[in-house]
Amino acid sequence: MADAADAAKQRLDRALAELERKTRDLKARSSVADDDLFAPRAAGGSDPELRAAAEAASAALAAAADEIRAVLEAEG
């Protein structure tokens, strides 16, 4: 069981690291003047790349959370 939990934790850590990397990259290219990546933009519309990164990170985190729940249920 510990191996499955460790594997899920590693996937979660990788997903978070990838999200942080993509966020830094997007912030570096962002036209937002302040440090708030999610501040409204002057020229409308959402950034499709940011949306795709958020959706991918959300899916990875959800999968890792599901695996962690399964391991915890099997142990308890």
Side-chain angles (χ1 to χ4, degrees), residues 32-62:
V32 176
D34 63 12
D35 196 30
D36 185 0
L37 178 63
F38 300 102
R41 294 181 179 214
S46 63
D47 185 340
E49 190 174 348
L50 177 59
R51 181 177 299 279
E55 289 173 359
S58 177
L61 293 172

Side-chain angles (χ1 to χ4, degrees), residues 5-17:
D6 288 340
K9 182 186 178 307
Q10 288 173 357
R11 280 192 291 281
L12 182 59
D13 289 342
R14 283 193 304 269
L16 288 172

Side-chain angles (χ1 to χ4, degrees), residues 18 35 75:
E18 181 68 11
D35 196 30
E75 288 181 353

